[in-house]
Amino acid sequence: MKKIDLTTHVLIPKHSKLGDKDKEEMLKRYNVSLKGLPKILVSDAGISHLSARPGDVIEIVRDSPTAGKAFFYRVVVDE
Amino acid sequence: MEDSYVYKRVGSVSFAVLSPKLIKKMAAAKVVTPELYDKEGYPVDGGLMDVRLGVIDPGLRCKTCGSRLKECIGHFGYISLARPVIHLSYVNVVLSLLRTTCRDCSRILLPDSKIQQLGGKGVKRSRIKDSIASSKTGNKCPHCKARQYKITVEKPTTFFENERRISPIEIRSRLEKIPDADAEAFGLNVGAVRPEWMVLTVFPIPPVTMRPSITLETGERSEDDLTHKLGDIVRINQRLFENINAGAPEIIVEDLWDLLQYHITTFFDNDVAQLPPARHRSGQPLKTISERIRSKEGRIRHNLVGKRTNFSARTVISPDPMLELNEVGVPEIMALKLTVPERVTEWNMEYLKNFVKNGPKKYPGANYVIRPDGKKKKLTEDIIEATLEEMQPGYVVERHLMDGDKAIFNRQPSLHRMSMMCHNIRVLPYKTLRLNPAVCFPYNADFDGDEMNLHIPQTEESRAEAEHLMLVQTQLISPRYGLSVIGCVQDAISGNYLLTREDFSMPRHAAVDMLSSIGVSELSRLPKRESVSGKEIFSALLPADFDFVGKSRSSAEPEVVIKGGKLVSGVMDKNNLGEGSGLMLRNIHKKYGEAFAVDFLGKLFRLGVSVLIRRGFTTTIADTDLPDEAHDSISKIFADAEVEVQELVSQFNANSLDTFPGRTARETLELKILELLTRARNDTGHVVAKFANRDSHTLIMANSGARGNLLNLAQIAGSVGQQALRGKRIEKGFKNRTLSYFKPNDLGSEAHGFIRSCFKSGLKPAEFFFQAMVGRDSLMDTALRTPKSGYLYRRLSNAMQDLRVEYDGTVRDASGRIIQFAYGEDGVDVSKSEGGTINVSRIISKVK
Ligand SMILES: [Mg+2]
Ligand SMILES: [Zn+2]
Ligand SMILES: [Zn+2]
């Protein structure tokens, strides 16, 4: 079967892994711990190309008609 | 500061299962007989109404605690069960414990190392189960090597091992053997829960205070449903004891045992799927414990969450456009019953005495006077004099409702915050609550018998809050789409439409008369000419420095231009006057504020209505009359369509139809026919629109957007069109045909629900039948959808009720977890936006 590259699909926004520094900065900016972030499964197809591990933070950038770009963060979880 | 009020703080809550020991310890009496009263009517000792279980009769003292009725909260009793019985609520726990422990030694079916690996304490039962299923040992106990068998449960409470029934005695003995350490591994806190306690050996009898008997007028006592149920339990338990002691055959004992299990199960829940509910002699099911708690009529939603209020009123509503938008008309009889407390001071003493003088029956009077010591006195004719004498500052007078008082007005279902708004009261004659028809939209109200509720705030604080947070003008801009939720409706739209069309003019004195009748007193901007145009009259309402450019529905004058408070061009219709459309109302609100906006809307509304009153407005069947020419072209459209349909059908029959990709020939035919007939109907719509009289009132309503549209008109004058059932032509009915009137396998338009006739000329029998099919289908659909969407809404609002926007702009739940990083991903407060977006260019031009 042909393998589809999900990252190029129009309906899938850009997912990227935050580096340690960016992650700390982001948690501080929102005054939140990893527990307080929305979650994403390690097995999520949208981040399969990032080789993310539980505890990593994924940044999702969506196009928004009113905000231009909308940023969203999810913490990678196991189950 | 806050700490000084806190006497006790909840540190933690823990849940436990009652142990037999605890049940006995907390019991005030052992119940030994199902009897309730002796011959003298006195409660039997050891009976279900034993005096030690609490008091339900006034005057008596509790035998256990010595308190009186309402002070004594009641005391539990207990019975010893002749045979153990499974507790309904723990069937699933018992099942998973039986499956995951050894039938011989009652250890977890995992080696100790594996248990440690899983965490050793507080592991999820499902994880242990998965772990056992995946372990290689199969069905052998890793501890004693005993073979394990498959355990199943037959709902509600019967357990089987390899098809052989296991009795609660055996189940209990297996659970007893589970070591504490293993029970802890399952997450059971053995101090509070031992597995075997889930199988009952003693049964707690709830206090009489939670199942009081009521004395009927005849002097007969009527017992609570729970008492009936407990009577069954005690009686069967007693018979079971007697049979066991007498050495009765095992079958009889087992039957009684099952019966006991049934009664105890239905005592907890009389709505178990697999059991017939226990019933009264009259046939209605008993209300046992879980029925008392659960559902809309249960303790939680009915008594705890569903509070009832005083100082409220409810009746049928009717419209009154002469009221302001933020007013509500209250019938005088209501005003005589609803009151507002006012504190007597030396400055308002004389004023308040007038109310007291009028008493409770003469409006405006007062119903109660409260003395400074808190004593409340009902005003009656004969104490009015004395009350007037003793009144002094510090007294409170509960006076009748008056014009200008605040009230909260509500219509259910209260789906958004505009369903409860604050209105100023106008006390009016007659017996309905009245509101301006323009506020019908946010309440979703009409006047076909709708009722609404009114609440009167009773304190200065609540009145101030209601006025500043809930008054109609504070709710003008929708938090959903950022436009005005209140606009003109119906006559107000067609009136303003007629007024602002090119050809409207009236003598100046008539215009002045009309404008003053709707409350406009500033007439200097009305041109000083013999005759003034409608646009000039409309402009008299606008602020002198208002500029606006927008679009109207009309194709003749699509551009609406307001310059310097003058309507230069364009007609006013639903696009600019209606609720939730156009930015004219939004801009007025933004520029001149909510108080002006609500006043403007009221005047606008009355202007529209007044125009119609002066001009005359009605609708007639003759409005839909068409010239012969039109009928001819409509006939031609359908004749052509019919030919085309026949052409398609014969192509299909000859197998020469070009099929759409992914469709069968039959499906393609259906789609093509449907498209063809829809097009034909739309064409008739155009014909009707072309030939209909532009000045007929029906068309004025359709063109202004007040009511109806061209499609309705086409159905009345041209053709009703294709009737569709679930997106398809009608196919249901007889074998190979829809009605026996048609030939079998007729694929033509007529045989599948196309209605060529129009409503005015009347439908043919077959057409009528098809229309009735679709009509019934949509009726059913609405009737079934409403409760479904209501429940969906309930679930959503419960799930989201404590989300809020924090000061950093994030949306978080009650525990501080982030739901959105910026509200609505752009952080815009929609109710402060214009249609959901921020008008950046205006902000820039202002800053410059
Ligand atoms: Mg209604
Ligand atoms: Zn007591
Ligand atoms: Zn074993």
Side-chain angles (χ1 to χ4, degrees):
Chain A
M1 214 167 77
K2 194 185 146 198
K3 203 160 163 57
I4 296 167
D5 182 9
L6 288 174
T7 57
T8 61
H9 195 281
V10 281
L11 292 179
I12 296 191
K14 189 173 164 272
H15 289 65
S16 57
K17 193 162 79 181
L18 283 189
D20 284 346
K21 235 174 133 189
D22 288 342
K23 179 171 142 185
E24 287 314 313
E25 191 272 327
M26 176 260 151
L27 291 176
K28 219 175 139 197
R29 177 154 36 104
Y30 288 105
N31 186 26
V32 73
S33 67
L34 283 180
K35 269 180 130 173
L37 288 181
K39 296 167 191 148
I40 187 169
L41 279 182
V42 238
S43 55
D44 192 294
I47 58 167
S48 57
H49 63 289
L50 294 175
S51 60
R53 303 234 317 251
D56 285 344
V57 172
I58 305 295
E59 181 183 70
I60 300 160
V61 186
R62 297 196 181 91
D63 290 330
S64 159
T66 45
K69 292 218 174 305
F71 293 87
F72 205 83
Y73 302 92
R74 289 171 183 277
V75 63
V76 180
V77 291
D78 213 346
E79 55 175 334
Chain B
M1 177 65 190
E2 189 202 316
D3 285 321
S4 58
Y5 296 109
V6 180
Y7 297 104
K8 280 179 181 171
R9 198 187 290 274
V10 178
S12 65
V13 177
S14 70
F15 294 93
V17 174
L18 282 182
S19 69
K21 225 168 148 184
L22 188 58
I23 293 173
K24 281 185 188 162
K25 202 177 137 199
M26 68 183 197
K30 181 171 182 173
V31 174
V32 288
T33 166
E35 281 168 64
L36 304 174
Y37 308 101
D38 59 22
K39 284 189 203 85
E40 283 82 54
Y42 194 76
V44 176
D45 254 9
L48 280 170
M49 304 305 280
D50 194 304
V51 284
R52 291 169 291 176
L53 300 183
V55 264
I56 49 169
D57 296 302
L60 294 181
R61 274 181 183 276
C62 174
K63 274 274 158 53
T64 306
C65 66
S67 347
R68 273 180 239 274
L69 180 67
K70 283 191 176 161
E71 291 165 357
C72 167
I73 53 162
H75 312 278
F76 273 89
Y78 81 99
I79 56 170
S80 298
L81 298 176
R83 289 277 169 97
V85 158
I86 310 268
H87 191 303
L88 173 73
S89 306
Y90 299 113
V91 169
N92 288 327
V93 185
V94 168
L95 178 66
S96 76
L97 287 178
L98 288 179
R99 279 180 177 166
T100 46
T101 54
C102 170
R103 65 190 303 274
D104 255 19
C105 68
S106 284
R107 295 292 318 274
I108 297 182
L109 290 169
L110 284 174
D112 288 327
S113 58
K114 185 81 190 177
I115 299 173
Q116 284 312 313
Q117 203 187 317
L118 283 173
K121 211 172 176 187
V123 190
K124 267 197 183 154
R125 288 201 305 277
S126 59
R127 275 193 73 184
I128 295 182
K129 206 173 115 199
D130 294 343
S131 192
I132 292 170
S134 61
S135 67
K136 306 175 279 297
T137 43
N139 47 21
K140 278 243 173 61
C141 170
H143 306 283
C144 71
K145 305 285 181 270
R147 206 179 126 85
Q148 304 298 316
Y149 299 99
K150 197 175 159 213
I151 293 178
T152 52
V153 64
E154 190 178 282
K155 286 282 166 82
T157 49
T158 323
F159 286 86
F160 291 92
E161 183 174 49
N162 253 4
E163 325 275 284
R164 189 186 64 87
R165 177 154 180 200
I166 21 180
S167 72
I169 295 184
E170 196 177 340
I171 293 171
R172 196 168 197 278
S173 72
R174 285 194 198 180
L175 297 177
E176 274 167 7
K177 278 192 293 177
I178 298 177
D180 277 357
D182 281 10
E184 298 235 301
F186 284 117
L188 299 180
N189 171 13
V190 282
V193 186
R194 271 296 312 177
E196 66 268 21
W197 299 345
M198 296 174 189
V199 182
L200 299 167
T201 53
V202 293
F203 183 83
I205 303 287
V208 285
T209 43
M210 67 173 274
R211 47 186 175 91
S213 55
I214 37 171
T215 318
L216 300 174
E217 288 148 43
T218 54
E220 226 179 324
R221 271 187 174 234
S222 171
E223 296 302 329
D224 191 272
D225 282 8
L226 275 188
T227 309
H228 283 293
K229 199 71 240 178
L230 288 167
D232 291 337
I233 294 173
V234 176
R235 195 169 50 251
I236 299 301
N237 190 47
Q238 224 176 21
R239 273 175 58 193
L240 187 55
F241 258 127
E242 284 160 9
N243 275 284
I244 294 168
N245 292 338
E250 196 55 20
I251 318 167
I252 293 178
V253 172
E254 262 176 33
D255 277 356
L256 280 171
W257 193 1
D258 282 344
L259 199 54
L260 183 65
Q261 174 79 62
Y262 168 78
H263 283 309
I264 289 183
T265 303
T266 49
F267 171 81
F268 291 122
D269 187 353
N270 200 15
D271 199 26
V272 186
Q274 297 81 2
L275 284 184
R279 288 169 194 281
H280 275 290
R281 251 160 302 171
S282 62
Q284 50 155 324
L286 292 167
K287 287 228 177 320
T288 55
I289 299 232
S290 77
E291 282 79 29
R292 282 190 175 194
I293 302 165
R294 210 197 301 136
S295 90
K296 209 169 180 178
E297 283 76 42
R299 207 91 317 154
I300 293 176
R301 276 172 76 182
H302 192 79
N303 301 97
L304 291 175
V305 186
K307 294 287 186 198
R308 283 162 187 272
T309 59
N310 291 321
F311 306 105
S312 60
R314 175 187 176 96
T315 191
V316 175
I317 51 166
S318 46
D320 185 345
M322 295 318 278
L323 287 176
E324 291 299 328
L325 276 95
N326 55 13
E327 286 182 322
V328 57
V330 177
E332 204 183 288
I333 24 172
M334 271 188 186
L336 285 170
K337 285 277 173 282
L338 297 169
T339 57
V340 175
E342 263 199 82
R343 187 164 292 271
V344 180
T345 63
E346 46 186 294
W347 303 283
N348 69 3
M349 182 108 99
E350 286 312 306
Y351 163 79
L352 286 176
K353 275 189 175 170
N354 287 329
F355 293 104
V356 177
K357 253 180 227 149
N358 278 340
K361 289 199 179 121
K362 190 173 164 212
Y363 183 81
N367 290 352
Y368 290 93
V369 171
I370 304 164
R371 286 205 299 245
D373 62 5
K375 268 257 159 43
K376 193 167 182 174
K377 262 186 9 199
K378 191 173 169 66
L379 269 187
T380 50
E381 298 295 333
D382 33 282
I383 67 159
I384 287 179
E385 281 303 315
T387 314
L388 283 172
E389 291 287 301
E390 61 166 298
M391 250 174 81
Q392 45 177 295
Y395 274 55
V396 173
V397 176
E398 297 206 331
R399 48 144 255 252
H400 290 156
L401 219 50
M402 291 202 306
D403 286 6
D405 282 334
K406 307 290 172 210
I408 291 167
F409 203 31
N410 161 238
R411 179 182 177 275
Q412 283 104 357
S414 316
L415 294 180
H416 54 196
R417 69 172 202 221
M418 292 83 81
S419 291
M420 291 189 113
M421 292 190 285
C422 175
H423 289 247
N424 295 319
I425 281 170
R426 285 279 295 275
V427 179
L428 298 175
Y430 312 120
K431 298 195 170 172
T432 56
L433 289 170
R434 252 129 316 155
L435 58 139
N436 188 305
V439 289
C440 280
F441 183 79
Y443 289 119
N444 191 21
D446 49 38
F447 304 106
D448 59 4
D450 290 26
E451 295 182 42
M452 283 179 73
N453 303 323
L454 194 74
H455 300 268
I456 314 300
Q458 294 290 306
T459 63
E460 279 80 13
E461 293 95 319
S462 57
R463 272 193 292 275
E465 278 200 25
E467 188 177 344
H468 287 276
L469 303 174
M470 301 175 76
L471 202 62
V472 172
Q473 53 253 48
T474 65
Q475 304 293 316
L476 283 182
I477 305 303
S478 164
R480 178 155 65 92
Y481 46 75
L483 295 171
S484 181
V485 265
I486 296 172
C488 292
V489 286
Q490 314 254 329
D491 279 4
I493 291 179
S494 29
N496 279 301
Y497 172 80
L498 284 171
L499 180 72
T500 53
R501 284 209 308 196
E502 270 318 312
D503 48 11
F504 191 97
S505 69
M506 70 199 303
R508 189 173 194 274
H509 67 87
V512 168
D513 181 41
M514 183 167 80
L515 285 171
S516 6
S517 79
I518 63 167
V520 179
S521 49
E522 167 60 42
L523 298 161
S524 60
R525 293 180 49 244
L526 201 60
K528 295 186 180 49
R529 260 185 272 116
E530 195 51 29
S531 159
V532 287
S533 77
K535 284 196 169 80
E536 284 161 346
I537 298 171
F538 181 86
S539 304
L541 297 187
L542 295 168
D545 57 346
F546 184 60
D547 297 316
F548 175 75
V549 178
K551 283 211 161 348
S552 77
R553 293 161 60 94
S554 146
S555 49
E557 286 184 87
E559 184 112 304
V560 173
V561 180
I562 297 172
K563 238 192 161 122
K566 283 209 173 68
L567 179 59
V568 181
S569 71
V571 287
M572 300 312 294
D573 54 30
K574 199 182 172 196
N575 271 12
N576 290 301
L577 300 174
E579 118 296 312
S581 52
L583 286 171
M584 188 183 94
L585 297 174
R586 181 72 185 93
N587 288 354
I588 284 183
H589 181 277
K590 180 127 203 154
K591 194 163 178 192
Y592 305 101
E594 55 191 37
F596 181 87
V598 78
D599 180 59
F600 175 75
L601 267 167
K603 284 175 181 153
L604 207 60
F605 198 100
R606 286 190 292 273
L607 179 65
V609 175
S610 301
V611 169
L612 292 194
I613 290 173
R614 269 142 238 260
R615 183 187 176 279
F617 199 78
T618 180
T619 184
T620 71
I621 291 281
D623 280 358
T624 60
D625 284 345
L626 295 176
D628 289 344
E629 199 187 334
H631 283 294
D632 290 345
S633 57
I634 289 171
S635 297
K636 190 173 170 333
I637 290 170
F638 285 119
D640 290 351
E642 188 55 38
V643 171
E644 279 185 71
V645 169
Q646 283 314 320
E647 171 65 17
L648 283 170
V649 170
S650 50
Q651 272 181 29
F652 171 76
N653 288 334
N655 265 332
S656 63
L657 194 70
D658 288 334
T659 58
F660 290 137
R663 300 275 182 178
T664 64
R666 186 63 220 276
E667 285 166 353
T668 309
L669 178 73
E670 282 300 315
L671 287 172
K672 283 195 167 172
I673 292 176
L674 209 56
E675 191 213 325
L676 195 77
L677 294 174
T678 311
R679 184 151 38 91
R681 214 264 306 270
N682 288 343
D683 289 345
T684 59
H686 294 137
V687 173
V688 170
K690 198 170 108 191
F691 286 96
N693 177 8
R694 191 183 91 101
D695 290 318
S696 76
H697 293 172
T698 305
L699 224 70
I700 285 171
M701 287 194 281
N703 286 335
S704 63
R707 214 73 234 262
N709 54 38
L710 281 177
L711 190 95
N712 297 145
L713 203 58
Q715 288 197 322
I716 295 171
S719 156
V720 176
Q722 178 67 50
Q723 300 297 299
L725 213 54
R726 285 175 213 143
K728 289 195 183 109
R729 299 202 297 165
I730 291 171
E731 284 162 12
K732 272 185 178 310
F734 299 86
K735 190 181 173 195
N736 295 329
R737 50 182 167 176
T738 49
L739 294 172
S740 54
Y741 167 76
F742 300 106
K743 290 204 172 76
N745 298 312
D746 184 349
L747 288 174
S749 54
E750 225 181 304
H752 287 273
F754 184 75
I755 302 181
R756 162 68 187 87
S757 313
C758 59
F759 282 127
K760 199 163 64 172
S761 66
L763 271 53
K764 292 181 193 163
E767 294 176 331
F768 182 87
F769 206 93
F770 290 131
Q771 218 253 322
M773 284 170 75
V774 173
R776 178 66 58 86
D777 185 68
S778 73
L779 199 73
M780 293 268 300
D781 197 59
T782 358
L784 298 176
R785 203 178 38 225
T786 316
K788 249 193 189 149
S789 66
Y791 182 44
L792 177 68
Y793 179 83
R794 195 185 143 75
R795 274 140 64 200
L796 283 175
S797 66
N798 282 337
M800 298 197 286
Q801 62 181 357
D802 50 20
L803 302 192
R804 61 174 190 164
V805 180
E806 295 288 346
Y807 282 101
D808 66 353
T810 58
V811 180
R812 301 191 190 214
D813 67 11
S815 57
R817 273 193 294 245
I818 293 179
I819 307 297
Q820 279 183 337
F821 289 85
Y823 172 74
E825 90 181 9
D826 50 18
V828 170
D829 178 352
V830 180
S831 62
K832 296 199 171 60
S833 72
E834 288 164 39
T837 54
I838 304 283
N839 190 339
V840 181
S841 53
R842 205 201 17 243
I843 295 172
I844 292 173
S845 71
K846 249 192 191 161
V847 173
K848 265 196 240 165

